[in-house]
Amino acid sequence: MPEPTTTKSAAVPGRGGRINTGPGKLLVTLYGIFTVGAASRSLVQLTTRFDEAPLAYVLSAVAAVVYAFITLSLVRGGEGARKAALTCCGLELLGVLAVGTWTLVEPSAFPDATVWSDYGMGYLFIPVALPLTGLWWLRRGHREQTAPTPSSEQSDPTSSEQSEHRSQET
Amino acid sequence: MLTPLTVTLAVAALALAAWCGWAAYRDQPTKDWHFIGMAVVTLLALVQLVVGVVQLAQGRDPADGAVIFVSYLVGVLACVPVVGLVSLTERTKWGSLTVVAGAVVLAVLQVRLYDIWGGGTGA
């Protein structure tokens, strides 16, 4: 019963690439949620009480920009967007690790928390998990696009199942 | 804030998450019944928004300020419709999982909303 519906979206690939379908759709949604969350949070903090913890609030704003960029790239799809998103996911991971370590080593610099404080503990560690998932998904997208028969893949009704198997092999 | 409503909404959102999680586990997209569930949760969120705004209008003040309070109420209301639309464009189990994510976020927002209003005071 689930088969006809699962294959339907596999046969309709996203514009210029498949990084925005299937698990990619979930990833886009999560990035979208974090974009809205980080952006509105930093907007309120920067406009109302910037002096309290300028470093923390600016870092939150940086996080929001990175999230927004990745969200847009994932929505657009295609090889260029995939590479851009891949770079940004790497930056994001570095940012989470750096800010997370920074907040633990020098808590006095952060009177208020950022999105990435303590490796995103306040957000259930999703800020760490998200870039790792993103990197995995985007690298996987690359392997699929370099696969020899992208056109036959679109018309192949079992392509989504095959691609899942392929990712599990690696 | 109306604490019973906050709790009801959080529980309803978690139930929706479990329901759609079950669909995703069985490799199914969201169905009509799921959308009815989403509509119920969205309706509750709408009621919460109205109740919240009415209480603000009556002069009660949230601990963290009215701007943050209202933006959270709007965020709560937007959550499920947005993921519902995404699940319409993604007719696989990943669409169902997206609804799970949105519903869990809504439940977390309820906890934050409770804090923003200032705990149980004014309930």
Side-chain angles (χ1 to χ4, degrees):
Chain A
M1 205 162 38
E3 271 73 20
T5 42
T6 48
T7 53
K8 202 165 85 182
S9 83
V12 186
R15 226 176 347 142
R18 293 185 49 197
I19 60 171
N20 49 6
T21 56
K25 196 80 102 185
L26 177 62
L27 202 60
V28 169
T29 310
L30 288 175
Y31 267 111
I33 290 170
F34 266 81
T35 304
V36 172
S40 47
R41 176 191 171 124
S42 58
L43 194 69
V44 168
Q45 289 175 333
L46 287 174
T47 49
T48 57
R49 41 181 205 271
F50 176 69
D51 297 332
E52 281 178 31
L55 182 62
Y57 298 158
V58 167
L59 282 176
S60 282
V62 170
V65 172
V66 173
Y67 284 136
F69 189 84
I70 297 175
T71 309
L72 284 178
S73 302
L74 285 173
V75 170
R76 274 188 56 221
E79 184 59 17
R82 193 192 66 79
K83 276 186 178 147
L86 200 55
T87 311
C88 272
C89 280
L91 279 177
E92 182 196 351
L93 185 61
L94 281 179
V96 176
L97 294 178
V99 174
T101 309
W102 194 357
T103 48
L104 288 179
V105 171
E106 198 186 354
S108 58
F110 296 89
D112 199 353
T114 78
V115 179
W116 291 345
S117 285
D118 305 334
Y119 307 110
M121 195 166 72
Y123 293 84
L124 306 171
F125 291 111
I126 293 173
V128 179
L130 215 46
L132 288 175
T133 317
L135 287 171
W136 167 78
W137 171 246
L138 292 167
R139 286 181 58 81
R140 182 179 165 280
H142 178 59
R143 282 201 298 276
E144 278 199 0
Q145 285 188 352
T146 51
T149 52
S151 55
S152 68
E153 208 173 291
Q154 289 174 17
S155 54
D156 183 355
T158 57
S159 64
S160 75
E161 284 166 24
Q162 282 177 354
S163 61
E164 285 200 12
H165 291 159
R166 198 178 307 153
S167 72
Q168 283 164 5
E169 281 164 16
T170 52
Chain B
M1 193 55 197
L2 209 60
T3 307
L5 183 59
T6 312
V7 174
T8 307
L9 197 45
V11 170
L14 288 179
L16 179 68
W19 192 15
C20 292
W22 174 242
Y25 177 73
R26 299 207 304 172
D27 205 9
Q28 287 179 352
T30 45
K31 306 269 175 65
D32 285 355
W33 282 105
H34 295 114
F35 282 99
I36 292 172
M38 288 182 230
V40 169
V41 173
T42 306
L43 196 66
L44 282 172
L46 190 62
V47 171
Q48 188 181 44
L49 176 71
V50 171
V51 168
V53 170
V54 165
Q55 294 208 345
L56 277 182
Q58 285 173 348
R60 295 190 185 166
D61 224 10
D64 284 4
V67 175
I68 295 180
F69 180 65
V70 173
S71 24
Y72 265 82
L73 285 176
V74 172
V76 164
L77 182 60
C79 256
V80 168
V82 168
V83 289
L85 285 176
V86 172
S87 85
L88 272 181
T89 63
E90 181 64 42
R91 306 302 297 150
T92 66
K93 65 173 175 180
W94 296 104
S96 305
L97 266 183
T98 305
V99 177
V100 173
V104 169
V105 167
L106 197 156
V108 172
L109 287 180
Q110 291 302 311
V111 178
R112 285 288 297 130
L113 209 50
Y114 183 78
D115 292 337
I116 288 167
W117 185 256
T121 55

